[in-house]
Amino acid sequence: MSQPSPASLPPPAPRPAKPPAAAGAPSRLAWLDLLRGIAALFVVFDHLSYYVLQHVRAEVYNWFDAGNYGVFVFFIISGYIVPASLERKGSVRTFWVSRLFRLYPLYLLAVGIAVALYFAHFGGLRGEGTDPEASVLSQLLMMSNVLGGQNLPNVVWSLSYEMIFYLLITALFIARVHKRSSSYALGFAVAAVAIGGLLPQAYFIHNLATPRLIALMADLAVLAGLAFAVVLRGMSRLVGAAAAAVVAITLLAFNGGWIWPWEALSILALMFTGTMFYRAEQGQYPWPRAIAIGVGVFALTITAGLWHSRAWGMSAHAELLWDRRWVSAFALAGLTFGAGLAFRHVRWPRALTWLGLISYSVYLLHPLVIESYHHFTWTRHHHPFWLQVLLAAAFLAVVIAVSSVTYLLVERPMQNVGRRVGWWLDARFGPDRVPDHVPASAEPALAGSSGPASD
């Protein structure tokens, strides 16, 4: 049945101002917060266990990669909730305003702290200080891992693929082909197997131009495309969104950083699988088919890793260990998300979901706490196991405390500012609804954040 034309719709009712404290409480999807908290803990363990609990790490990593598992869970959650947020808003402008205020304040704070630690001789800039101009250009759009940057802090590599996903779903949304999530999931999974091992890594930087020039050209192209998509109407906005998405996918395929092209394609397959599960949960897609395609996507992405990693020339023992970790991380990430979906109607205690609320802070800031922790000579000495457990618990307590503060003082206030800016823009310039995309009032409100950087 065709949608009513925008001209025939009644004008939107004025939005009442919401106090900041009321923005998220009743509308949270607690099961997503629970999953994000679990994912954040595994990523923290991955990085902290280089310094304490090394014997535990050695045993765990014989079978399982905790860091990969954590980011895989994050990517599936982002795929589940970010397109839902865009569709619920029905507005490209509002979506990107919310992205700006959701991502950048804490990101800039984390980069600022990293620079401050460098000048205080508590940490390093991972080589970024040698060419500050190129560093700024590569970090500007949070796409450092595909623009020759060194990921400052080191965990921001994953934000590159979050941003590529946002650009891609924006173009699909404007083109009105965004609901073909299963096709996109399978397409990227098949591409990971078929061509993921053939695509070159960092080809542009190694063969065409300097990192500074590549980053400058990519930044200008993406920003111009986004400006067209947000400001203009009709075919012009589609051209702009498509151009930005094409640049992003091209960078992913030909200019990736320390992860391989087949890994990047597998990440996009995971994210669109999350979107497919959202559509099934909303009744837009049959569950049996969604589950079958999800299993197929996971099988293909696991196959991509097992096949293409053979080109690294690892020893038989190293290859066996890597295979175990790749398969178990992927499989357990899928099972974790499936368990979350199965128990999505359970009321989880606030104490368990709080870690999910602050997970973006935990994700970005814990490497900086580790930098400070590692600075002191005494932390490099071998400690008995009981003391290592106490040190790990103390570290986690510090990270949670710091992240709670940054969530309350930076993240949540800036998210509320982003909402108010979006309302003001609607009042000043009129609603920015893409034709034929009228948000369904029956959809649950998906406020807050879900992946390390998504809402």
Side-chain angles (χ1 to χ4, degrees):
M1 184 170 62
S2 61
Q3 297 281 0
S5 67
S8 67
L9 295 171
R15 298 176 183 256
K18 295 182 181 180
S27 60
R28 296 297 310 168
L29 296 181
W31 67 277
L32 289 175
D33 286 329
L34 180 69
L35 295 188
R36 292 165 52 238
I38 293 171
L41 288 178
F42 275 88
V43 173
V44 171
F45 171 79
D46 178 49
H47 296 136
L48 180 62
S49 58
Y50 283 105
Y51 307 101
V52 296
L53 302 176
Q54 293 97 333
H55 293 302
V56 175
R57 178 187 178 86
E59 292 298 322
V60 168
Y61 277 74
N62 273 326
W63 297 93
F64 175 66
D65 189 318
N68 274 349
Y69 164 81
V71 294
F72 291 161
V73 172
F74 275 136
F75 283 131
I76 301 171
I77 294 173
S78 291
Y80 179 92
I81 205 168
V82 171
S85 177
L86 174 57
E87 293 167 26
R88 178 177 56 85
K89 293 175 173 68
S91 166
V92 174
R93 182 178 65 207
T94 303
F95 172 75
W96 279 98
V97 167
S98 73
R99 293 291 82 208
L100 176 66
F101 283 91
R102 172 69 182 104
L103 300 177
Y104 273 89
L106 188 69
Y107 173 71
L108 294 175
L109 176 65
V111 172
I113 293 174
V115 173
L117 290 176
Y118 169 75
F119 284 111
H121 305 292
F122 272 53
L125 292 181
R126 303 170 61 82
E128 291 290 76
T130 58
D131 191 348
E133 186 177 330
S135 176
V136 169
L137 290 170
S138 68
Q139 306 283 345
L140 180 63
L141 299 183
M142 300 174 68
M143 294 171 63
S144 55
N145 208 57
V146 294
L147 289 177
Q150 296 301 315
N151 301 318
L152 185 70
N154 63 323
V155 292
V156 303
W157 70 268
S158 66
L159 300 185
S160 300
Y161 304 98
E162 295 262 358
M163 291 297 292
I164 291 169
F165 182 64
Y166 302 159
L167 293 168
L168 185 54
I169 62 169
T170 298
L172 296 175
F173 179 75
I174 294 174
R176 307 175 196 174
V177 293
H178 58 294
K179 292 190 175 181
R180 303 173 184 174
S181 309
S182 59
S183 298
Y184 303 134
L186 277 173
F188 281 113
V190 169
V193 176
I195 63 172
L198 302 177
L199 295 171
Q201 190 177 31
Y203 175 82
F204 292 159
I205 289 175
H206 292 158
N207 297 278
L208 298 183
T210 64
R212 184 187 306 182
L213 181 58
I214 294 294
L216 175 61
M217 294 171 61
D219 288 349
L220 290 175
V222 170
L223 288 172
L226 270 181
F228 272 54
V230 171
V231 175
L232 301 181
R233 296 291 184 271
M235 185 58 66
S236 297
R237 82 182 321 180
L238 176 57
V239 170
V246 167
V247 170
I249 292 294
T250 303
L251 290 171
L252 176 147
F254 295 98
N255 207 52
W258 63 274
I259 73 169
W260 297 88
W262 53 266
E263 292 178 279
L265 293 168
S266 297
I267 286 170
L268 287 183
L270 279 185
M271 298 178 91
F272 277 108
T273 301
T275 310
M276 178 185 66
F277 286 143
Y278 163 76
R279 304 208 182 286
E281 198 272 336
Q282 291 294 303
Q284 303 171 10
Y285 201 73
W287 267 116
R289 189 175 179 188
I291 292 171
I293 291 177
V295 171
V297 168
F298 275 84
L300 285 167
T301 50
I302 287 172
T303 300
L306 297 179
W307 183 19
H308 297 309
S309 64
R310 296 298 182 267
W312 299 343
M314 295 181 288
S315 67
H317 178 67
E319 193 173 277
L320 175 63
L321 292 180
W322 193 92
D323 289 351
R324 287 176 186 170
R325 294 194 292 258
W326 180 254
V327 173
S328 60
F330 252 104
L332 289 176
L335 290 173
T336 299
F337 189 80
L341 268 175
F343 294 98
R344 62 189 178 278
H345 300 303
V346 173
R347 263 185 98 82
W348 297 101
R350 177 72 169 176
L352 294 179
T353 60
W354 178 252
L355 189 60
L357 282 172
I358 65 173
S359 63
Y360 186 39
S361 285
V362 170
Y363 189 79
L364 284 188
L365 299 181
H366 81 271
L368 303 176
V369 180
I370 289 177
E371 290 270 12
S372 302
Y373 175 84
H374 185 55
H375 170 75
F376 298 100
T377 304
W378 61 271
T379 64
R380 298 169 193 162
H381 295 163
H382 176 72
H383 299 297
F385 181 73
W386 66 267
L387 182 54
Q388 292 187 50
V389 172
L390 288 179
L391 287 171
F395 175 87
L396 187 60
V398 170
V399 169
I400 291 174
V402 170
S403 299
S404 298
V405 170
T406 56
Y407 172 76
L408 293 172
L409 298 184
V410 179
E411 287 193 73
R412 192 165 71 179
M414 295 309 295
Q415 289 176 45
N416 287 321
V417 171
R419 293 185 188 101
R420 292 192 176 98
V421 170
W423 298 342
W424 179 84
L425 289 171
D426 278 354
R428 178 69 177 82
F429 299 104
D432 176 43
R433 303 299 183 198
V434 175
D436 294 337
H437 291 304
V438 181
S441 59
E443 288 186 5
L446 304 178
S449 61
S450 58
S454 30
D455 73 352

